[in-house]
């Protein structure tokens, strides 16, 4: 029997550590917790972790500074940032600095377990399965192509698709919808019943949706 995936949760509020830890343990994860970034680094240095979940806004060393320190480690786990609506743009900065993903408060148990499951699969992959096409800019699990006429195309990174697998249900924006940077542009449920959210890296009005991405659960 294989060892359970170890998740290190970092937050300066004990109630958050208790709540997130409870959900993860019920799903079979081994959980370690830290009330600050310095303690988290000490745990990573001594025992390690497969996945790290960190609050973005913390006193002292914040989530972005912790991310910088983790990137200097010889082996670094996928990092998931917890953020509130007011810090969405900072969360996108975290993605550009190498965070695996972020999850916005308030989040559901299904959303939490979905992003942790994907991060766990990423950790188990020895190498990435792909990335944005050449000449495109990558943001988190999206790529963006500037078409030069005030419009842009947003696509799905192959790494994201590989860690999710075949979806059972898929929710896409509709033509005419306005998407604000940092808001959800795709929601799906994978075959294992977990919810996954993809965040849009740019703001604008949807003028076309790729019909090839639509999915009929029936």
């Amino acid at each position: 029997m294989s060892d359970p995936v170890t998740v290190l949760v970092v937050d300066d509020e004990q109630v958050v550590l208790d709540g997130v830890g409870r959900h993860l343990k019920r799903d079979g994860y081994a959980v370690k917790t830290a009330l600050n970034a310095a303690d988290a680094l000490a745990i990573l240095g001594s025992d390690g972790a497969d996945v790290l979940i960190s609050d973005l806004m913390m006193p002292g060393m914040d989530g972005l500074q912790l991310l910088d320190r983790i990137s200097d480690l010889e082996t670094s786990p996928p990092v998931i940032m917890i953020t509130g609506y007011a810090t969405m743009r900072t969360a996108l900065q975290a993605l550009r600095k190498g965070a695996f993903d972020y999850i916005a408060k308030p989040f559901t148990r299904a959303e939490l377990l979905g992003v942790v499951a994907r991060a766990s699969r990423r950790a188990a992959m020895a190498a990435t399965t792909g990335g944005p096409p050449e000449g495109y800019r990558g943001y988190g699990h999206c790529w963006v192509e500037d078409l030069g006429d005030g419009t842009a195309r947003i696509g799905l990174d192959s790494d994201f698709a590989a860690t999710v697998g075949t979806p059972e249900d898929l929710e896409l924006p509709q033509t005419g919808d306005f998407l604000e940077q940092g808001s959800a542009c795709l929601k799906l449920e994978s075959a294992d019943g977990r919810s996954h959210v993809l965040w849009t890296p740019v703001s604008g009005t949807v003028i076309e949706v790729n019909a090839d991405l639509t999915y009929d659960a029936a």
Side-chain angles (χ1 to χ4, degrees):
M1 184 175 180
S2 59
D3 293 333
V5 172
T6 300
V7 182
L8 172 59
V9 187
V10 192
D11 198 291
D12 61 312
E13 296 184 38
Q14 187 65 49
V15 64
V16 175
L17 295 180
D18 293 342
V20 172
R22 183 168 58 252
H23 289 316
L24 294 175
K25 288 175 182 176
R26 283 176 56 191
D27 212 55
Y29 293 99
V31 178
K32 300 176 183 178
T33 61
L35 282 165
N36 56 67
D39 287 350
L41 286 171
I43 292 172
L44 288 176
S46 58
D47 302 324
D50 299 306
V51 176
L52 185 140
I53 302 175
S54 173
D55 191 20
L56 187 55
M57 306 301 292
M58 295 185 292
M61 189 189 310
D62 64 19
L64 289 180
Q65 292 170 317
L66 174 60
L67 189 59
D68 285 335
R69 294 285 297 275
I70 290 174
S71 65
D72 293 333
L73 299 177
E74 187 173 342
T75 6
S76 57
V79 177
I80 300 165
M81 288 291 179
I82 298 178
T83 178
Y85 178 78
T87 54
M88 283 293 186
R89 295 187 187 278
T90 310
L92 292 174
Q93 183 182 352
L95 294 182
R96 291 193 288 269
K97 291 169 75 70
F100 174 75
D101 207 341
Y102 67 89
I103 184 168
K105 299 175 183 176
F107 49 83
T108 66
R109 180 175 184 271
E111 289 170 343
L112 170 67
L113 296 178
V115 70
V116 173
R118 285 194 289 105
S120 301
R121 293 180 191 127
R122 169 64 68 84
M125 295 162 66
T128 59
T129 58
E134 185 177 353
Y136 292 34
R137 295 178 297 154
Y139 291 92
H141 303 299
C142 283
W143 52 257
V144 178
E145 179 190 16
D146 186 350
L147 299 180
D149 59 358
T151 65
R153 288 199 306 155
I154 301 174
L156 180 64
D157 189 275
S158 57
D159 282 350
F160 180 89
T163 55
V164 168
T166 304
E168 289 293 315
D169 192 19
L170 180 64
E171 181 182 333
L172 293 166
Q174 302 297 312
T175 301
D177 287 351
F178 179 80
L179 298 179
E180 184 175 357
Q181 184 184 46
S183 63
C185 64
L186 180 150
K187 297 180 181 179
L188 61 85
E189 182 177 318
S190 52
D192 57 7
R194 302 184 191 280
S195 298
H196 306 273
V197 179
L198 197 69
W199 313 100
T200 180
V202 293
S203 297
T205 301
V206 178
I207 59 175
E208 184 180 357
V209 177
N210 184 355
D212 291 339
L213 289 179
T214 59
Y215 181 81
D216 186 356

